[in-house]
Amino acid sequence: MGLLSSRIFRGREPVTGDLVQPETTAGPSNISSSRKRKRSSKCSLSPKSDSEKSQDQEENPQEVLSTSYRKKVKISSKYAYQYLFLNGKNSDIKIRALGEIWCLHKVFLCQSGYFANMFKGSQKEMHDDIIELEVHDKNIDVQSLHFVLGSLYRDEYVLIEPLQVLGVLATACLLQIEDLIQQCKETMKETINVKTVCGYYVASETHGLDSTKAVCFEWLLNNLMTHPNVELYKEIDIKLMNLLISSSNLLVMQKEMDIYTTLKEWMFLRLNQAWKGSMKQLLVDANNWFSKHRKCGGNTTFLETEVGIIFEPVFKKLRLQHIICDLASTRVIEQDCLIPSEWLSSVYKQQWLTLLKAEQCREIGPQHINEIELEGYSMRCGKRIIKDGKYSWKWSGYNFGFPLHVIFTSHYIIFKQNLFNQLCEGSDCSQHLRNIAFKLTLVYFEASGKLNFRKTTGYKILTFEKDEEQVVMKLDSIVLKFPLYIFCNFLFVSLKHIGN
């Protein structure tokens, strides 16, 4: 069967047995746990050499399996795996699957919930010499099935490479081997990266591994825009991207318009899986490709075409109200002709009504925090700080007359209201007091994309007077590593003033 190598799994409870006659085998309760699982750095599924076999001559297979009923026999993992599993000595059951046959032993198979339930009853399989194991999961192959069956004879886990763990997980779930499933979950959580995350997410969803699925989803929220990757974009399906774009915890680089750009690149790659190129070239080629469709489509926007309509649910999750408040972004949206004009008309109307209410009602901003509504409507922004120093910027946008600047140093992060001299008399931005609701998050990544450091303010409301600045996060006691990422969710008006 070959070798399955290199990943060491933490051992589970050992498997030794009261090796009884096959007729009296009732299930896992007949298996003793007198041996302890050990770690091993090797995993060979090939038969031993003659010199290795000679070391186990004291454990004669015929003597072991012909032991009288209820007599306790201790069997080493080395012996059980080599002679009973690999060599099939004194097998009392055969498993046939995927064109292969395994000569096995019911006392070991009973550690599997699948086989234990089979052997408990009076099913036909109980008396068959050969059990036909039906395999429909495309992730299960001969190698993974061989490994999982062999694990029932061993007192240590030596797992395969991360990209092969999906086959072991699928097989362990089919055969209902709970401790092996747990070990697969641990390995998946430890080895999430750009190459494995989508496969792990789908497998976790398929097999009901909620905690592993949550870890994969969080990794994607953290890395989708901070570490863009062509192959990752190709693998994210429509359902998953919909969930990611909907989340207020998505770590956004720059602002909402950049989420739109990410979706445009992602949609292009989903429709052109054979495309090869770098992230630097991706947007250029995507724009050229959509431009050709635009010339052929007349007045029909791309998301209204037969090809593009499947992507509508994802683009509906864009917070367009935070895109059309910037002139340059609005021009790009209009020129691309991806989004139906009815969507944009609705958002233009909504924002105009919100502006009028803010101006004429002398709106000073949010006064109460409703986290659910805030998460669904807030403006999402982000910035990368490459090295230590002092930085100042603003995330552009109208922000309903609240020109907020962000100042970063190694000691603190400050929000500052800058009104300048060119403000119009009577504008709502000239009001003496203004409130903002926000959540600020500071993070640092390991090379694999895993978060190494995270600090957040949680949701807060700040009140500003003209030209006032306020410290929103102190960093004096933190040893900073670079590059750092700063993310913020903002809300500048009360939700009760937002138009329908």
Side-chain angles (χ1 to χ4, degrees), residues 108-135:
F108 288 95
L109 291 183
C110 280
Q111 296 168 89
S112 153
Y114 178 89
F115 291 116
N117 290 330
M118 179 184 294
F119 297 152
K120 280 181 181 178
S122 58
Q123 297 102 318
K124 179 177 180 295
E125 291 88 345
M126 177 70 186
H127 306 288
D128 283 349
D129 291 331
I130 298 181
I131 295 176
E132 299 284 349
L133 183 63
E134 295 186 7
V135 177

Side-chain angles (χ1 to χ4, degrees), residues 7-9 38-43 154 156-158:
R7 177 143 186 88
I8 301 175
F9 256 23
K38 298 178 291 185
R39 293 181 179 269
S40 173
S41 59
K42 298 180 181 179
C43 181
R154 301 173 69 97
E156 73 273 345
Y157 283 133
V158 188

Side-chain angles (χ1 to χ4, degrees), residues 57-286:
Q57 287 178 348
E58 69 275 8
E59 290 180 329
N60 184 280
Q62 185 61 43
E63 291 180 1
V64 170
L65 289 179
S66 63
T67 302
S68 60
Y69 179 61
R70 292 189 182 280
K71 182 178 180 181
K72 179 91 65 179
V73 179
K74 293 184 178 180
I75 306 175
S76 71
S77 171
K78 185 178 179 181
Y79 166 82
Y81 185 78
Q82 177 65 47
Y83 286 100
L84 301 184
F85 178 66
L86 293 182
N87 294 350
K89 294 291 185 179
N90 299 96
S91 165
D92 60 2
I93 195 76
K94 294 181 176 65
I95 306 296
R96 180 158 54 200
L98 302 175
E100 299 287 339
I101 294 178
W102 285 265
C103 298
L104 305 175
H105 309 82
K106 291 179 182 178
V107 68
F108 288 95
L109 291 183
C110 280
Q111 296 168 89
S112 153
Y114 178 89
F115 291 116
N117 290 330
M118 179 184 294
F119 297 152
K120 280 181 181 178
S122 58
Q123 297 102 318
K124 179 177 180 295
E125 291 88 345
M126 177 70 186
H127 306 288
D128 283 349
D129 291 331
I130 298 181
I131 295 176
E132 299 284 349
L133 183 63
E134 295 186 7
V135 177
H136 303 293
D137 193 321
K138 63 181 181 180
N139 288 314
I140 300 176
D141 57 16
V142 171
Q143 189 182 39
S144 61
L145 184 55
H146 184 82
F147 174 80
V148 172
L149 291 173
S151 74
L152 300 175
Y153 289 75
R154 301 173 69 97
D155 63 1
E156 73 273 345
Y157 283 133
V158 188
L159 243 182
I160 51 181
E161 296 291 340
L163 288 176
Q164 296 176 290
V165 76
L166 299 182
V168 174
L169 173 64
T171 309
C173 288
L174 173 65
L175 300 184
Q176 302 169 34
I177 305 175
E178 291 301 324
D179 49 359
L180 187 52
I181 293 172
Q182 291 301 316
Q183 294 297 334
C184 286
K185 288 169 62 177
E186 291 180 18
T187 296
M188 290 162 70
K189 290 177 181 178
E190 293 171 2
T191 58
I192 291 175
N193 57 48
V194 69
K195 294 182 179 180
T196 63
V197 63
C198 288
Y200 286 177
Y201 180 89
V202 172
S204 298
E205 186 172 48
T206 300
H207 300 297
L209 310 182
D210 292 340
S211 63
T212 310
K213 177 182 174 182
V215 172
C216 292
F217 189 71
E218 182 180 12
W219 190 98
L220 287 166
L221 287 174
N222 294 339
N223 288 272
L224 179 70
M225 295 187 67
T226 59
H227 300 86
N229 182 277
V230 169
E231 296 306 316
L232 176 64
Y233 285 4
K234 287 182 180 180
E235 288 194 43
I236 299 175
D237 62 24
I238 292 175
K239 179 183 176 183
L240 178 54
M241 184 61 84
N242 197 348
L243 294 173
L244 293 169
I245 297 302
S246 304
S247 176
S248 65
N249 294 320
L250 176 66
L251 299 188
V252 173
M253 289 306 299
Q254 299 305 326
K255 51 186 179 176
E256 195 78 21
M257 180 61 187
D258 296 277
I259 304 178
Y260 167 81
T261 302
T262 296
L263 286 185
K264 181 165 55 173
E265 295 172 336
W266 163 78
M267 181 165 63
F268 166 74
L269 288 173
R270 292 292 296 178
L271 296 169
N272 298 272
Q273 289 282 322
W275 185 86
K276 300 292 184 182
S278 65
M279 285 300 304
K280 185 177 181 179
Q281 184 64 28
L282 177 56
L283 182 58
V284 174
D285 286 3

Side-chain angles (χ1 to χ4, degrees), residues 442-461:
L442 187 69
V443 304
Y444 170 76
F445 293 98
E446 294 178 355
S448 66
K450 182 179 180 181
L451 278 186
N452 181 271
F453 166 80
R454 182 186 185 98
K455 181 178 175 66
T456 183
T457 61
Y459 283 108
K460 292 184 176 181
I461 291 179

